[in-house]
Structure formats: C-alpha cells, structure tokens
Amino acid sequence: MPTTDTPSTDSRTALTDDDRVFLARPLHGFLSVAGGPVPPQPRPVWFEATDDGTVQLFTGPESLHIRRRRRDPRASLVVAAPVGERERWVAVDGSTTVETDGAHALAQRLAQRYWDLDDPARAADLAAILAEDQVRLVIHPERVRRLMF
C-alpha cells in the first residue's frame, strides 16, 4: 500500500492542500487523547482543518477529552474515507490547546456540514449544543501521516 508516512519536505508535520480538501468533507474523525487508559479510547468527532494548519473540534469544558488532556496534552485524530471509496486516511498527531473563544461558531459551521438544518430535529439538536458551554480543542500538528491510493 502506498503511504507517505515519511515524505520529503514538511508534509510530515503539516497538512497538504490534498489533505485539506479531504478533511473538508463531512467525515468523522476518531480522536484519541494521551491522558486516557491504556490503550487509548478513540471517540468519533466532528472536526475542522483550519487555514493556519491546525485541526479543531468543539466539546464541553469538562468533557472526557478535556479532562484527559489536562494530564497529557497530546492527541491524535484519524480520518478515513468511507467504504466504497478508494482507501485513504490522514492522521494528525500533536499537542493540543483549549481555546475558550469560537466554539459556538465552530459548532454552527460543523452542524451545517454534517446535518440538514432544515430538519426541525437537527435544528433543535444544534440549538441544544449552542445552549451549552463549549470550548475548542485545537490540535497543533507535530506529525501528519497519510495513506492514499
């Protein structure tokens, strides 16, 4: 299988344009944080790759992700193409920061990507998310691995 786990230039530590196009799709990522039990316990999450090269998601300020990152700020997000497409995945590993601004705006953008907000049930789900305190968990890539055919 062709991989670019050890490519030339900085694509080992930064997202490429192809990565950003792939990550802009409504795919689930699987987040693992280092401060959890052994082995890590990945969780499916919505995410956004940003123009500055980070990857962010929103979560509650006392969520399991946030509590675990207090012990160890490292995390990994793996995103894979769905069944029926050629095999492809991108893994972003790095340290995280917790940002108190912008989480509701991020939740709104991601809900528009993943849900039909004309559906009253989904609109109510989003309203419930926006009614809660949220923070942004930002992954600062230190290593990016990928496989594509």
Side-chain angles (χ1 to χ4, degrees):
M1 294 183 158
T3 68
T4 54
D5 197 25
T6 55
S8 60
T9 72
D10 66 351
S11 63
R12 292 185 326 173
T13 60
L15 296 171
T16 66
D17 290 341
D18 284 342
D19 294 339
R20 284 190 179 89
V21 168
F22 177 67
L23 296 175
R25 296 175 52 195
L27 301 170
H28 286 102
F30 290 86
L31 178 72
S32 298
V33 292
V38 177
Q41 305 293 308
R43 300 287 187 264
V45 296
W46 292 352
F47 62 90
E48 178 181 73
T50 67
D51 290 340
D52 69 0
T54 62
V55 177
Q56 61 182 357
L57 56 111
F58 67 92
T59 189
E62 293 302 320
S63 70
L64 184 61
H65 305 311
I66 299 301
R67 291 192 317 266
R68 287 183 177 165
R69 80 145 307 273
R70 287 180 189 140
R71 292 188 293 261
D72 189 327
R74 295 173 298 148
S76 179
L77 180 78
V78 177
V79 179
V83 172
E85 291 186 19
R86 291 191 62 117
E87 290 75 13
R88 179 173 188 180
W89 56 261
V90 174
V92 179
D93 308 327
S95 62
T96 61
T97 57
V98 176
E99 307 295 335
T100 58
D101 66 322
H104 285 135
L106 175 62
Q108 178 76 43
R109 285 193 307 277
L110 292 175
Q112 289 171 352
R113 180 190 301 176
Y114 287 89
W115 289 342
D116 174 3
L117 294 176
D118 290 333
D119 177 343
R122 290 304 194 182
D125 291 340
L126 176 58
I129 290 170
L130 297 177
E132 299 286 327
D133 286 337
Q134 302 289 336
V135 295
R136 286 183 304 124
L137 181 65
V138 180
I139 302 172
H140 303 271
E142 295 168 5
R143 182 172 67 163
V144 177
R145 294 168 289 136
R146 58 190 61 80
L147 174 132
M148 65 182 114
F149 282 94

